[in-house]
Amino acid sequence: LEDCGYMARVAFIMDRVFRRFGLSGKSFIPMLVSSGCGVPGVMATKTIENEKDRRMTVMTTTFIPCGAKLPIIALLMGSIIGDSSTTAAWISPLFYFLGVFAVIASGLMLKKTKLFAGRPTPFVMELPNYRLPGMKNVLQLLWEKARDFLQRAFTVIFVATVIVWFLQSFNLHLNLVTDSKDSILALIAGIIAPVFAPLGLGDWRICTSLLCGVMAKESVVSTMQILFGTGIRAALSTAGAAAMLVFSLLYTPCIAAIASVKRELGGKWAVIMVAWQCLIAWVMAFVVHAVVMLF
């Protein structure tokens, strides 16, 4: 799509819509890429020349649910609505598009701050002619993107996975544990559990899953299956499952995406992005938990 000249036209069309939320039409391409993975989505912001627009795009684009969050939706929908596949088919997309709503709401709030105040820069882009992409050019582009992803993301994911394995396998005395509840990771999860108690997520096993999700979002599902076994539904109320689903979809992206933000914008902006997304996720999850409890 990019090589045939279509993406430039989509960005031009979306510019008028995105400007209402403090974003540029060029922000559309990183957001589209982020629906697959946040790492190349962050790297795609290089096409945005204006630094303020670029920072705003990075701060909002990682709200878009990536492919790794789909298993979380599939897992928790059973705790929310039971075994009704028909109802799940209608409700699941609503949770997916929650990320789009978060992008809009976040953009509206951020543009009222001093860091992002003002209108986006005028949209200037040369619209290329439509053309049939050459196979050689497409394969070369795919190779460059894949190599860049492996160099930047895979190394971070590998190191983070080793760290999580160590924290989950050893206690404070560096002895190998047979039960995860005695591990260093469970101890850390127990410390932060009071923060999630108002969301109905005060169980240390849930907090452990969310901590593992920082390393890779797929880890939320695998960790919950290890710690809960087949008793996930019994451990989560409907309100708690809904709150956890909202929080999991909106809180900080994986460690690889955070590392990409650090490379592109610096460590300060990476910390700001993580804090901002966690705050939005906690507030939204608290509201959803309260609303579901009423019904």
Side-chain angles (χ1 to χ4, degrees), residues 37 39 148-158 255-257 260 263:
C37 178
V39 176
D148 197 23
F149 176 83
L150 289 173
Q151 290 176 343
R152 292 189 176 207
F154 179 75
T155 52
V156 177
I157 293 174
F158 177 75
I255 193 70
S260 296
R263 285 194 194 92

Side-chain angles (χ1 to χ4, degrees), residues 116-188:
F116 299 100
R119 294 179 60 82
T121 55
F123 184 91
V124 179
M125 177 182 283
E126 181 181 355
L127 297 181
N129 296 324
Y130 280 120
R131 62 181 181 182
L132 185 65
M135 183 59 68
K136 181 180 178 181
N137 292 336
V138 172
L139 291 176
Q140 183 178 358
L141 182 63
L142 286 173
W143 164 245
E144 291 175 355
K145 297 289 186 182
R147 183 182 60 186
D148 197 23
F149 176 83
L150 289 173
Q151 290 176 343
R152 292 189 176 207
F154 179 75
T155 52
V156 177
I157 293 174
F158 177 75
V159 173
T161 303
V162 172
I163 293 174
V164 170
W165 170 83
F166 176 82
L167 294 178
Q168 197 170 0
S169 302
F170 292 88
N171 58 21
L172 290 176
H173 301 291
L174 300 183
N175 296 320
L176 193 65
V177 298
T178 56
D179 194 333
S180 296
K181 69 179 182 180
D182 300 320
S183 66
I184 300 174
L185 190 62
L187 178 63
I188 298 173

Side-chain angles (χ1 to χ4, degrees), residues 55-269:
R55 289 173 180 170
M56 173 77 90
T57 302
V58 171
M59 291 285 288
T60 55
T61 195
T62 44
F63 279 119
I64 299 293
C66 63
K69 295 179 181 179
L70 295 181
I72 302 176
I73 298 177
L75 174 71
L76 294 176
M77 284 307 296
S79 298
I80 297 174
I81 60 174
D83 298 318
S84 176
S85 58
T86 304
T87 308
W90 286 98
I91 298 180
S92 297
L94 295 179
F95 278 101
Y96 186 84
F97 286 108
L98 179 67
V100 179
F101 170 76
V103 170
I104 296 172
S106 180
L108 290 173
M109 288 186 285
L110 287 174
K111 78 174 186 176
K112 296 183 182 298
T113 64
K114 292 182 179 179
L115 292 174
F116 299 100
R119 294 179 60 82
T121 55
F123 184 91
V124 179
M125 177 182 283
E126 181 181 355
L127 297 181
N129 296 324
Y130 280 120
R131 62 181 181 182
L132 185 65
M135 183 59 68
K136 181 180 178 181
N137 292 336
V138 172
L139 291 176
Q140 183 178 358
L141 182 63
L142 286 173
W143 164 245
E144 291 175 355
K145 297 289 186 182
R147 183 182 60 186
D148 197 23
F149 176 83
L150 289 173
Q151 290 176 343
R152 292 189 176 207
F154 179 75
T155 52
V156 177
I157 293 174
F158 177 75
V159 173
T161 303
V162 172
I163 293 174
V164 170
W165 170 83
F166 176 82
L167 294 178
Q168 197 170 0
S169 302
F170 292 88
N171 58 21
L172 290 176
H173 301 291
L174 300 183
N175 296 320
L176 193 65
V177 298
T178 56
D179 194 333
S180 296
K181 69 179 182 180
D182 300 320
S183 66
I184 300 174
L185 190 62
L187 178 63
I188 298 173
I191 294 174
I192 67 171
V195 177
F196 294 96
L199 311 180
L201 306 175
D203 192 309
W204 70 270
R205 294 171 293 183
I206 296 175
C207 296
T208 300
S209 302
L210 294 174
L211 284 175
C212 292
V214 177
M215 306 305 164
K217 286 295 177 282
E218 301 93 332
S219 299
V220 173
V221 173
S222 59
T223 304
M224 288 188 71
Q225 289 177 334
I226 291 172
L227 298 179
F228 285 101
T230 59
I232 296 177
R233 289 193 187 183
L236 279 172
S237 63
T238 301
M244 183 175 182
L245 182 52
V246 171
F247 189 85
S248 298
L249 292 176
L250 298 181
Y251 83 122
T252 177
C254 65
I255 193 70
I258 297 172
S260 296
V261 174
K262 181 178 181 296
R263 285 194 194 92
E264 299 297 333
L265 301 181
K268 183 183 83 170
W269 284 102

